[in-house]
Amino acid sequence: MKRDQYNPFRVMVRKEISDQVHSWRFILLLVLMLLTFAASMYISASNIRTAFSNTDDPDHSFLYLKLLGATDGSMPPFHVLMSFLAPLLGISMGFDAINSEQNSGSLTRLLAQPIYRDNVLLAKFYSGMLIIGTLFISLTLLMLGAGLIITGVRIEPAELLRVLAFVIITIVYVGFYLSLSILLSIAFRQAATSALCALGVWLFFTVFYPMIVNLAIRAILPDPANLSQAQILGYNELILDIMRMAPGQLYSDSSTTILMPSIRSLGPLSMEQLSGAIPSPLPIRESLVIVWPQLSGLLAGSIACFALAYYLFMRREIRS
């Protein structure tokens, strides 16, 4: 028992969690996310009666999913706000993971102890993911409890599974930017440089990448009047594939599909595919099949960033 208690990896994880939770940047981001969550839940709860009674919407019976997606237009729904706030959480927890300790000299003293070097990097990532998972699971339980108190309606198993799937997708999305920021903290000596680079990557994929794609498509795409329907669908599918190179687009596609069960495809549909189709919610299994490529893309990006960070850190020469 004592041997397990004083395991070096567990000690480092506990230290990282303590440092993160007691840091001012984490507290500020936590307050910002709680305020965003409270505002989104207030707007959703105010419009839940209208959304629930809208029989034209095939998803109107999913009460708890509407708490995450219903809005009156005054502010975006919660999952849209998460596409902007979640990367900031991941970046803030990893942009100085390595370089700050190396500049202060604590990394040299740490590696002088009888511990494996890779445990240092694994502890940074594991503690960050543990905090992120705890945070979003707590927010989810808070949402479910508030919905139960406000409406008095019990949550159905299908809704619970979709909410949990949304939480997992969000955690994976934050994990991508966490692994990216840890990679940049190894690549750059100064914490300010790694933070600016991580924010630059986030801004590029969020703001500039869609603009560049749209400008490039306008310059290359032929006149739609001279194209057949099959060619137009092919070009639209190509545009979507290019847009899905951005992590934010992958998260938006997957979260929207999970929270809106009536979505049957993330690509363009032909008139033959639409004819005779009855709008109805899909089972959770089929929705997961639709979003599996997007989730795999986020996982692959996270693994690639962490693998490169692992390679650079293991080959780095660290001196006092």
Side-chain angles (χ1 to χ4, degrees):
M1 185 69 181
K2 289 185 177 180
R3 181 179 179 182
D4 185 67
Q5 180 180 1
Y6 295 103
N7 182 278
F9 179 76
R10 296 198 173 197
V11 172
M12 287 187 290
V13 169
R14 285 196 290 266
K15 176 185 178 299
E16 290 297 328
I17 292 176
S18 177
D19 293 342
Q20 290 286 356
V21 170
H22 292 91
S23 63
W24 277 107
R25 64 187 177 197
F26 177 78
I27 295 175
L28 291 176
L29 277 173
L30 179 61
V31 171
L32 178 61
M33 292 190 65
L34 288 175
L35 291 176
T36 303
F37 178 80
S40 299
M41 290 301 102
Y42 176 77
I43 297 295
S44 300
S46 302
N47 296 273
I48 193 65
R49 183 183 298 273
T50 302
F52 190 74
S53 60
N54 184 16
T55 56
D56 294 333
D57 184 4
D59 301 329
H60 74 280
S61 60
F62 293 90
L63 180 65
Y64 286 86
L65 297 185
K66 289 299 180 184
L67 287 176
L68 290 172
T71 180
D72 59 354
S74 59
M75 65 180 298
F78 181 70
H79 69 279
V80 175
L81 292 174
M82 280 297 97
S83 65
F84 293 96
L85 293 179
L88 295 179
L89 178 62
I91 292 172
S92 67
M93 297 181 64
F95 75 92
D96 61 345
I98 300 298
N99 47 23
S100 63
E101 292 201 16
Q102 185 172 1
N103 293 335
S104 63
S106 59
L107 184 62
T108 304
R109 295 191 295 271
L110 180 63
L111 294 180
Q113 305 301 317
I115 59 175
Y116 295 108
R117 176 181 283 205
D118 55 353
N119 279 349
V120 177
L121 193 62
L122 289 172
K124 300 281 186 182
F125 184 77
Y126 180 78
S127 60
M129 293 300 295
L130 193 61
I131 294 173
I132 293 167
T134 304
L135 173 62
F136 282 104
I137 291 175
S138 301
L139 288 177
T140 302
L141 295 176
L142 183 62
M143 184 272 292
L144 296 178
L148 184 62
I149 294 173
I150 293 172
T151 64
V153 179
R154 69 181 184 89
I155 185 171
E156 297 295 332
E159 287 185 280
L160 179 60
L161 290 176
R162 287 185 177 274
V163 172
L164 292 178
F166 168 73
V167 172
I168 293 174
I169 291 171
T170 305
I171 292 174
V172 173
Y173 181 51
V174 181
F176 169 78
Y177 280 97
L178 174 62
S179 58
L180 174 65
S181 58
I182 292 176
L183 169 62
L184 295 175
S185 73
I186 298 173
F188 298 102
R189 186 65 181 257
Q190 299 299 324
T193 306
S194 59
L196 288 175
C197 288
L199 290 174
V201 172
W202 169 63
L203 285 175
F204 171 76
F205 281 117
T206 304
V207 179
F208 298 106
Y209 184 73
M211 296 171 56
I212 294 174
V213 172
N214 290 329
L215 291 176
I217 291 300
R218 287 184 181 181
I220 299 174
L221 187 67
D223 187 3
N226 300 326
L227 299 175
S228 64
Q229 183 183 8
Q231 290 175 325
I232 293 176
L233 289 176
Y235 277 112
N236 288 335
E237 187 68 32
L238 176 62
I239 295 171
L240 287 175
D241 290 339
I242 297 174
M243 291 292 295
R244 284 169 185 155
M245 294 180 65
Q249 184 66 35
L250 296 177
Y251 173 74
S252 177
D253 289 346
S254 54
S255 61
T256 303
T257 304
I258 291 297
L259 296 178
M260 297 181 181
S262 60
I263 294 180
R264 295 178 172 270
S265 175
L266 293 174
L269 297 175
S270 62
M271 294 302 298
E272 291 79 7
Q273 292 172 316
L274 291 174
S275 61
I278 301 175
S280 60
L282 290 177
I284 178 63
R285 181 178 180 180
E286 295 186 18
S287 295
L288 290 175
V289 171
I290 294 175
V291 304
W292 179 248
Q294 281 72 19
L295 184 58
S296 299
L298 289 175
L299 285 171
S302 303
I303 294 173
C305 290
F306 185 79
L308 183 57
Y310 184 90
Y311 173 78
L312 294 177
F313 185 68
M314 295 299 290
R315 292 179 60 88
R316 165 171 287 189
E317 183 179 0
I318 300 176
R319 297 179 179 178
S320 57

